[in-house]
Amino acid sequence: MTEASSDSNDSFHVFDTTLRDGAQREGINLTVADKLNIARYLDEFGVGFIEGGWPGANPRDTEFFARAAAELDLQHAQLVAFGATRRAGGSAADDPQLAALVNSGAPVITLVAKSHDRHVELALRTTLDENLAMVRDSVSYLRSQGRRVFIDCEHFFDGYKANRDYALAVVRAAHEAGADVVVLCDTNGGMLPAGVHEIVADVLATTGARLGIHAQDDTGCAVANSLAAVDAGATHVQCTANGYGERVGNANLFPVVGALEIKYGMKVLPEGRLAEMTRISHAIAEVVNLAPSTHQPYVGVSAFAHKAGLHASAIKVDPDLYQHIDPERVGNTMRMLVSDMAGRASVELKGKELGYDLSADRDLVGRVVAKVKEQENLGYTYEAADASFELLLRDEVRGGRERFFTLESWRTISEQQAGNGNGGGESAGNEATVKLWAKGERRIATGEGNGPVDALDRALRAALEGIYPQLAKMELVDYKVRILEGQHGTGSKTRVLIESTDGTTTWSTVGVADNVIAASWRALEDAYTYGLIRAGLDPQE
Amino acid sequence: MTEASSDSNDSFHVFDTTLRDGAQREGINLTVADKLNIARYLDEFGVGFIEGGWPGANPRDTEFFARAAAELDLQHAQLVAFGATRRAGGSAADDPQLAALVNSGAPVITLVAKSHDRHVELALRTTLDENLAMVRDSVSYLRSQGRRVFIDCEHFFDGYKANRDYALAVVRAAHEAGADVVVLCDTNGGMLPAGVHEIVADVLATTGARLGIHAQDDTGCAVANSLAAVDAGATHVQCTANGYGERVGNANLFPVVGALEIKYGMKVLPEGRLAEMTRISHAIAEVVNLAPSTHQPYVGVSAFAHKAGLHASAIKVDPDLYQHIDPERVGNTMRMLVSDMAGRASVELKGKELGYDLSADRDLVGRVVAKVKEQENLGYTYEAADASFELLLRDEVRGGRERFFTLESWRTISEQQAGNGNGGGESAGNEATVKLWAKGERRIATGEGNGPVDALDRALRAALEGIYPQLAKMELVDYKVRILEGQHGTGSKTRVLIESTDGTTTWSTVGVADNVIAASWRALEDAYTYGLIRAGLDPQE
């Protein structure tokens, strides 16, 4: 593990706990490989500290630290091991949990300590004095082993409100024993910014310790609470990528860093990394296998998407009129949404975004707006399917639907035979047959796959590949299904979004129908049509 | 339209703009019926004002106000029409847009006015003085028509920073002409709470007008910005349900009201309505046809869901140890998550939640934990599929999988014939055949449906209905599909979540497989098995 590079500044800490606290989010289940991948992205983004997990307590985390030592080549961040103060009534030097933290090899260790008297009594079941000794002994011991130590004062704000003297005593005990940073944690997430500011200011004035903030988002104020703490003198913020965490989640790394860099003018990231924020947010969501939140500040796909017709008209004059920053600063882009709320200005701007100058043809723009509204009433959405919108636009420009092939019929068959109960006989199969016309020829092809849509895709490609060799480098890379009007279970409309690539660019298409296979057919048809247009072919029909 | 009831207090305004600003969220497309439904839910929740849209400018909104007059029987809220100041160079009395606002019949009208000099010049293309006259004339005119008027000062904070004198002049013009509330809008969403506080305090001290706040969430601080404005003296907050809105979104009604009622101790809702918050949040998401955000503060399904083993251990002692409020106060419930992060404590608590006392059998708990981890590695998640988890638990308790029927095989066939291009010949069909054994009998049944899964469901029911008449009152009510590992398009694992009901309660089951049909089969199998157990039957095999 590399030490932090010499140009890193220790005066302000961006401390990421995605791998430890973030992993406590409902729906996340990280392998060790996932954790190593996320660590690389976090390091690339430029956080100062990466809290990797609880070695010793979680076997997967023990493995993470072992593999990190061999495989992670951190350029900027320092790895942190998380754990707890020694066992009540025991000794730090003999504590196996503390030993595991040391053995992890992490240069920095964060210990969680109780700082709320009630938790000491009910959860730890020990005395207030013993808890202070646990803090002092554990910090001193780890310092004696050459580790840098941070202390997470769990439930600090609630503890301060219940028993200010005791909460401050915990801070002092940690500080005096050698903890570099004492992190005040709003563990239950109930604080609001004004209260955070007041308490952090008091703790700083009273103890003189270097303070950090760890905010949870239960009141919807985690980002603001983190900033309030910084305003009051904290110089260490704990966050998670995309705000992942227990219950509602943690303070989201991206709007916190966005505020510090852009609004406060602080340099908390290495030069140039802010512009990587959108890419890294999405990359981490990909590893975690959660759909990226479309409406996240700064990095969400909707963050700079403009819908209201009046906004579009103003943006034609100057994008700054409706954006608080230039989206490029965080690696995002402005998008014009075409919807029934869109007016001509939106369609013109969207057309321009796609490379078509529609400003001279008012009738055309009107027809496109009408067609979009009609399709949206059927369940289509073009907001995440630019290629389907472009095909709609081209159809109106050229006065007719462009086709490279005409469907005659498709059919899919899926089946499963249950096993005989003795481990034999189980089988499953998915097959599709497509019949179509292309370049004057009738083609019939059958494909097999993991499922009916996979089989249909293969059958379609098989039917076309001899005629359109350009298809060979096209590939489906993402596939989303959304059931519309879910109140009636399997009888609803289904919308499918497909993302395809030719190896250089990607494009998205949409299909809506009564069921997932028919909807997928429509999205596939658009995907291949668009792909062939991109490959430079002219449709012939 | 009913006037606000006499027990309503005008001293603090909860002003909802879901139907106007919220509708500008990417992905929302509301019919007039949707808007009326949402208005009923908002009134039920107890907001003071419901901004319904822009009559005259949006035909759908004109229709909304017309139908609202006849069909909406508001018990608590007042309806508000939104519009803009008169046209530059025109007169208020002749302005057709203002006339449409009056004709809507809404007792309250909100006018958006430019308060940023640059916007007056570039977007309105008029002079600063004319803009002030537009504000004065429009407000006076509407007051003369007997309407209560609020003014939305668009881009106020940016305008104040660019030209404080002019921004304040707009506030004064509105206030002196008779606007009851001057709402300061952070239209581009770039503000942070400390800045909002400072500016609101200055405007209040300088103008003495009654102030409101309208915050957008581009920095992730809309809730905190709203509270900061209240701290500085604002007595009117504009929010949207679930934070829906343009770009990232608006200040979320639910955490704002949650903070005011629970943390500030204010009574901004009628008695008893806070406990309806979770239900109403989800109901509005249903109407809007967007999946409710699982991680929303207070109302999200994950808001009080506990995953970490240590948290579960403490919660066994006292739930307050890890929750900032009792979830029942907002109509939510605590949930224990069973996952590989869960330990025995989580499984015990989950079992208890489902009605099984596992505390005496440590081996059983260990087997369940192991089985959950194994299934989760395959892609299963029990976090939203309590019935599937309960079946897993029962299998371990009883030492074997309980079955009401044993599958022999299933098959689905889907097909589509394209039309002949002259409007004829197009057809589509979906058919499934199921062969199974139940109560010693072999059954074969075929079903037809809107799609392969619908057909499979009908075939399964047809195969079982003679044998298990209890199935007749069971129905699928929701169906979600999630493609896991989306990088490889249609070849990925698919997870299906099904929600079923017997008319009294609902339950959720999960199925994972290579494709959506096979995954749906597994979720259906669990759904009917669980339903029959609920109906009091004992499985026989």
Side-chain angles (χ1 to χ4, degrees), chain B residues 6 19 54-55 82 114 239 260 331 347 370 397 442 490 505 537:
Chain B
S6 62
L19 302 183
W54 195 335
F82 171 90
K114 298 296 183 195
C239 307
L260 294 174
V347 168
V397 166
R442 185 168 180 265
T490 51
T505 52
L537 274 65

Side-chain angles (χ1 to χ4, degrees), chain B residues 18-187:
Chain B
T18 302
L19 302 183
R20 200 271 309 165
D21 221 6
Q24 285 164 217
R25 174 192 160 104
E26 179 171 5
I28 286 188
N29 194 333
L30 300 176
T31 62
V32 174
D34 291 337
K35 288 189 139 192
L36 291 165
N37 276 337
I38 292 169
R40 288 184 191 101
Y41 282 123
L42 292 169
D43 185 51
E44 196 185 341
F45 185 49
V47 304
F49 299 88
I50 296 172
E51 192 172 66
W54 195 335
N58 291 335
R60 209 180 279 189
D61 290 349
T62 310
E63 190 191 333
F64 167 78
F65 283 96
R67 287 183 60 182
E71 301 174 40
L72 261 193
D73 184 25
L74 297 177
Q75 297 302 306
H76 183 83
Q78 291 198 294
L79 212 52
V80 181
F82 171 90
T85 45
R86 69 156 170 78
R87 195 174 55 253
S91 96
D94 299 328
D95 193 287
Q97 190 255 150
L98 288 178
L101 296 180
V102 174
N103 291 341
S104 74
V108 184
I109 294 175
T110 299
L111 292 180
V112 63
K114 298 296 183 195
S115 57
H116 187 329
D117 57 4
R118 193 153 176 268
H119 278 256
V120 173
E121 285 153 6
L122 288 185
L124 284 186
R125 287 172 302 225
T126 190
T127 68
L128 299 185
D129 280 342
E130 173 60 4
N131 183 52
L132 291 175
M134 287 156 66
V135 171
R136 277 190 295 263
D137 295 352
S138 307
V139 175
S140 309
Y141 172 69
L142 292 175
R143 297 286 295 127
S144 76
Q145 301 299 306
R147 301 297 190 262
R148 186 175 193 187
V149 182
F150 301 156
I151 281 277
D152 277 357
C153 289
E154 209 198 13
H155 300 287
F156 183 81
F157 296 89
D158 297 336
Y160 175 103
K161 289 193 260 186
N163 185 337
R164 175 178 176 272
D165 287 345
Y166 188 69
L168 291 175
V170 174
V171 173
R172 284 196 191 91
H175 177 55
E176 286 160 13
D180 257 3
V181 180
V182 180
V183 184
L184 311 182
C185 304
D186 181 23
T187 308

Side-chain angles (χ1 to χ4, degrees), chain A residues 63-94:
Chain A
E63 189 191 336
F64 167 79
F65 282 97
R67 287 184 60 183
E71 301 173 39
L72 262 192
D73 184 24
L74 298 175
Q75 297 301 306
H76 184 82
Q78 291 197 294
L79 213 51
V80 182
F82 172 91
T85 45
R86 68 155 170 82
R87 196 173 55 251
S91 96
D94 299 327

Side-chain angles (χ1 to χ4, degrees), chain A residues 376-421:
Chain A
E376 287 205 343
N377 276 341
L378 296 175
Y380 279 80
T381 175
Y382 293 100
E383 295 174 347
D386 272 5
S388 285
F389 174 72
E390 193 173 335
L391 290 175
L392 183 158
L393 197 57
R394 291 174 63 103
D395 287 353
E396 292 298 326
V397 166
R398 284 155 192 255
R401 178 90 169 106
E402 297 181 295
R403 290 175 189 280
F404 289 96
F405 54 90
T406 306
L407 177 73
E408 190 185 287
S409 70
W410 58 256
R411 180 184 72 220
T412 71
I413 302 177
S414 294
E415 51 199 347
Q416 180 173 315
Q417 312 277 336
N420 57 16

Side-chain angles (χ1 to χ4, degrees), chain A residues 204-225:
Chain A
L204 186 62
T206 313
T207 67
R210 176 172 184 177
L211 299 180
I213 178 71
H214 176 116
Q216 299 286 137
D217 205 28
D218 299 73
T219 59
C221 292
V223 171
N225 285 345

Side-chain angles (χ1 to χ4, degrees), chain A residues 23-29 54 60 114 118-119 154-155 187-188 190 192-193 217-221 223-224 227 246-248 255 263-264 286 289-290 295-298 302-303 305-308 310-311 318 320-324 335 337 340-341 376 383 407-418 430 450-454 476-479 481-491 514-518, chain B residues 23-29 54 60 114 118-119 154-155 187-188 190 192-193 217-221 223-224 227 246-248 255 263-264 286 289-290 295-298 302-303 305-308 310-311 318 320-324 335 337 340-341 376 383 407-418 430 450-454 476-479 481-491 514-518:
Chain A
Q24 284 164 219
R25 175 193 159 103
E26 178 171 7
I28 286 188
N29 196 332
W54 197 334
R60 208 179 279 188
K114 298 295 180 194
R118 192 152 177 270
H119 279 256
E154 209 198 12
H155 300 286
T187 308
N188 287 358
L192 298 177
D217 205 28
D218 299 73
T219 59
C221 292
V223 171
L227 299 178
E246 189 91 36
R247 301 185 310 276
V248 178
K263 309 288 179 179
Y264 284 52
E286 185 73 49
N289 200 25
L290 281 175
H295 285 71
Q296 252 196 92
Y298 296 104
S302 296
H306 302 277
K307 187 165 177 174
L310 277 191
H311 291 204
D318 179 357
D320 281 353
L321 290 177
Y322 278 96
Q323 294 185 151
H324 73 115
R335 292 172 49 237
L337 299 179
D340 72 317
M341 192 168 288
E376 287 205 343
E383 295 174 347
L407 177 73
E408 190 185 287
S409 70
W410 58 256
R411 180 184 72 220
T412 71
I413 302 177
S414 294
E415 51 199 347
Q416 180 173 315
Q417 312 277 336
N430 296 275
N450 291 331
V453 177
D454 185 33
L476 257 62
V477 291
D478 197 22
Y479 175 75
V481 179
R482 169 95 197 274
I483 313 295
L484 308 175
E485 289 140 11
Q487 266 312 98
H488 296 288
T490 51
D514 283 339
N515 65 77
V516 65
I517 304 179
Chain B
Q24 285 164 217
R25 174 192 160 104
E26 179 171 5
I28 286 188
N29 194 333
W54 195 335
R60 209 180 279 189
K114 298 296 183 195
R118 193 153 176 268
H119 278 256
E154 209 198 13
H155 300 287
T187 308
N188 288 358
L192 297 177
D217 205 29
D218 298 73
T219 59
C221 293
V223 171
L227 299 176
E246 188 92 35
R247 300 183 312 273
V248 177
K263 309 289 179 179
Y264 284 53
E286 185 73 48
N289 199 24
L290 282 174
H295 285 71
Q296 253 196 89
Y298 296 103
S302 295
H306 303 276
K307 186 165 176 175
L310 276 193
H311 292 205
D318 180 355
D320 281 353
L321 290 177
Y322 277 94
Q323 295 184 151
H324 72 115
R335 292 172 50 235
L337 300 179
D340 73 316
M341 191 168 287
E376 287 206 342
E383 295 174 350
L407 176 73
E408 190 184 289
S409 71
W410 57 256
R411 181 184 69 219
T412 70
I413 301 177
S414 296
E415 50 200 344
Q416 179 174 318
Q417 309 279 337
N430 296 273
N450 290 332
V453 177
D454 185 35
L476 257 63
V477 292
D478 198 21
Y479 174 75
V481 179
R482 170 93 197 275
I483 314 295
L484 309 175
E485 291 142 11
Q487 265 313 98
H488 295 287
T490 51
D514 284 338
N515 65 76
V516 64
I517 304 179

